[in-house]
Amino acid sequence: MEFIIVTEQYAPAVALIQLNRPKELNALNRQLMEEVRDALKGLDANANVRAIIITGNEQAFAAGADIKQMADMSAIDMLLIDQFSTWDQIRKTKKPVIAAVSGFALGGGCEFAMTCDMIVASETATFGQPEIKIGTLPGAGGTQRLTRAVGKAKAMELILTGRFMPAEEALTHGLINKIVPVEMYLKEAVALAQEIARMSPVAVQLAKEAVNRSFETLLDEGLAFERKNFYLSFASADQKEGMKAFIEKRKPNYTGK
Ligand code: DAK
């Protein structure tokens, strides 16, 4: 891995992927995104990992896709390279993925953070889709995910002006989960990941799937999907353990079975 650092056990059952192109503000070139895809695939299949954090550094989560790599490409180059398949794979990660964001999360960086399940931000985090300023528009989900998160009016304003949105505004409009002082954002993301890692991984996977399904379906179909996953959880040893532990007034011991 050249552009990311992967720590399988950053905390018990919690893996960390750190984007590591600091001089370029973690601009997302193709290799970096392929490395992220491969790392996520490995961690998703690793039974010792129950939650994954993706972070950058204090200055930047990621300032977007690598403009220098994209600038001279043709539409057909893009079609043939099919970068979207890499991003699609990231979206398919079954384990919970938390973005720990400080500094710039712009363009593809903002889209990448929004592809994660939750966003913990530092006070200095800045979100935006500034593609309009360089003659194009969001290409990795920005017009869709930002609109679903903050609503049409705010999304239109941000995408059509390219204005950067500070963390406070992102929190107010529901884009992110919480803001903490800059020295705390990674610790806070770890605490959140550990809290989730203590739950049944089977139930977490089924619940994540069901929440994500709400973006794809009408209510009736979504409710049916949720119900089936609910029933399915009763096939797990973890559901039996969780309910038994409640009745016996003790902490559950989830095995992920
Ligand atoms: N790409 C390449 N290099 C970048 C970069 C980027 N997005 N952002 C920053 N850098 C580089 C700068 O060029 C500079 O490198 P040197 O010139 O020193 O070699 C270094 O990082 C430091 O940047 P600055 O000197 O500009 O630093 P400042 O603090 O003055 O400004 C800034 C920070 C974040 C405001 C500024 O760098 C900036 O505006 N950056 C560009 C932000 C932007 O426009 N982002 C959107 C890019 S378009 C797709 C997937 C995703 C996408 C498209 C397709 N598919 C799956 C097909 C996404 C597209 C985008 O994200």
Side-chain angles (χ1 to χ4, degrees):
M1 299 288 186
E2 187 181 347
F3 297 125
I4 65 173
I5 300 168
V6 181
T7 312
E8 188 201 294
Q9 294 292 311
Y10 186 75
V14 176
L16 181 75
I17 298 176
Q18 184 177 17
L19 313 181
N20 190 32
R21 287 188 82 200
K23 277 196 213 120
E24 294 83 6
L25 303 179
N26 290 329
L28 306 169
N29 63 16
R30 281 197 298 282
Q31 185 183 330
L32 185 154
M33 290 311 288
E34 284 164 9
E35 289 179 6
V36 170
R37 175 200 58 198
D38 294 346
L40 281 175
K41 207 167 167 209
L43 296 170
D44 218 18
N46 182 336
N48 299 322
V49 172
R50 291 190 177 186
I52 301 162
I53 298 172
I54 298 180
T55 196
N57 54 51
E58 278 186 20
Q59 202 192 354
F61 177 74
D66 191 326
I67 298 171
K68 292 165 193 165
Q69 191 174 52
M70 265 187 311
D72 293 326
M73 283 172 74
S74 71
I76 300 303
D77 290 336
M78 294 213 184
L79 181 80
L80 295 178
I81 291 169
D82 190 21
Q83 252 176 286
F84 287 107
S85 61
T86 312
W87 291 67
D88 281 347
Q89 277 303 319
I90 292 168
R91 182 169 67 94
K92 287 180 187 151
T93 307
K94 296 190 189 82
K95 289 178 183 164
V97 182
I98 299 170
V101 176
S102 184
F104 299 112
L106 303 174
C110 185
E111 290 168 312
F112 187 13
M114 290 192 291
T115 306
C116 299
D117 302 313
M118 285 161 277
I119 302 176
V120 173
S122 87
E123 293 158 328
T124 66
T126 306
F127 299 84
Q129 298 290 161
E131 291 89 342
I132 203 83
K133 292 182 180 169
I134 52 170
T136 183
L137 65 150
T143 62
Q144 304 303 300
R145 291 204 177 90
L146 188 64
T147 307
R148 281 166 165 81
V150 305
K152 178 182 163 184
K154 182 62 67 180
M156 277 291 186
E157 178 202 327
L158 292 168
I159 290 169
L160 300 190
T161 66
R163 176 172 76 77
F164 297 172
M165 172 165 68
E168 200 63 53
E169 190 179 349
L171 184 67
T172 305
H173 292 279
L175 181 67
I176 64 176
N177 293 75
K178 54 176 81 178
I179 305 173
V180 293
V182 71
E183 63 277 10
M184 287 296 294
Y185 74 100
L186 191 50
K187 286 192 190 115
E188 193 67 26
V190 170
L192 180 59
Q194 285 191 297
E195 191 178 343
I196 297 166
R198 282 193 286 275
M199 307 300 162
S200 155
V202 179
V204 167
Q205 180 181 327
L206 294 174
K208 169 173 168 167
E209 231 177 53
V211 172
N212 279 336
R213 188 51 72 104
S214 74
F215 292 102
E216 321 270 340
T217 61
L218 297 174
L219 184 61
D220 249 4
E221 201 191 317
L223 290 173
F225 186 89
E226 176 191 88
R227 205 156 303 154
K228 288 209 175 108
N229 275 10
F230 176 74
Y231 294 152
L232 186 54
S233 75
F234 279 68
S236 70
D238 282 352
Q239 173 271 327
K240 300 287 172 277
E241 165 65 7
M243 294 197 179
K244 205 162 163 242
F246 173 80
I247 294 163
E248 292 171 359
K249 299 187 187 301
R250 60 173 174 82
K251 282 195 175 152
N253 174 27
Y254 293 125
T255 57
K257 295 280 157 60

